[in-house]
Structures are given as C-alpha cells and as structure tokens.
Amino acid sequence: EPQTDRKTLLAACPQFRVERVEVSEKTTFPAKQGILHLLCIGGTGTLICNGISYPVLRGNSYLLPPDADILADGTMTVLLSEP
C-alpha cells in the first residue's frame, strides 16, 4: 500500500488491482513480489528506484520491478496497477 492517505481503489479482482494515488509530497510505494505499473494521469514529479531518478510527466508509464522500494516526489496523480 502506498504510504499516503490520498488513494482510491478503482478496481479489484483476483487477477489485478488498480488504485488512483494523489502524490503531493514524498510517497513511498513499498516493495511487492510482483511488478507494478504506474501511469501518470496528471501533474509532474520524480520516481526514485534503486537510487536512480526518473522524471514523471502526464502520460508517462513505468513498469516497476518487484522487490524494490519506490519513492515518488512531486505533485501528480498516478494510477497504480498490480497483478
């Protein structure tokens, strides 16, 4: 679960789960056993994964590796999907 109180569950079934997360400060996405898909639907920010920073703009899509703690910073709205 993202370390934020601004998340909304959009869909969940046995195969996947999708949440909308409002990032307005540093937000941690804890490590998962499977991959995560992150799609930015608004705003801008930065993802930090394994010490590497990636710019995030509206429309950007990232596949995030399993077992990695991800830090998001900025002001953005993202959709997080996980199997």
Side-chain angles (χ1 to χ4, degrees):
E1 300 276 325
Q3 303 289 322
T4 178
D5 60 344
R6 299 192 53 179
K7 62 182 176 176
T8 304
L9 179 64
L10 300 178
C13 69
Q15 291 77 27
F16 68 91
R17 173 183 181 95
V18 179
E19 292 180 319
R20 181 179 63 226
V21 179
E22 302 286 337
V23 176
S24 60
E25 56 188 39
K26 290 185 179 176
T27 300
T28 301
F29 301 106
K32 301 281 186 178
Q33 289 185 341
I35 64 168
L36 287 176
H37 176 251
L38 182 142
L39 172 64
C40 180
I41 60 172
T44 62
T46 303
L47 283 180
I48 301 170
C49 177
N50 296 330
I52 301 172
S53 294
Y54 301 92
V56 180
L57 302 170
R58 184 173 155 239
N60 288 159
S61 177
Y62 290 92
L63 289 176
L64 306 173
D67 300 323
D69 286 319
I70 309 295
L71 177 68
D73 194 11
T75 303
M76 57 186 158
T77 302
V78 299
L79 298 181
L80 271 186
S81 305
E82 62 181 290

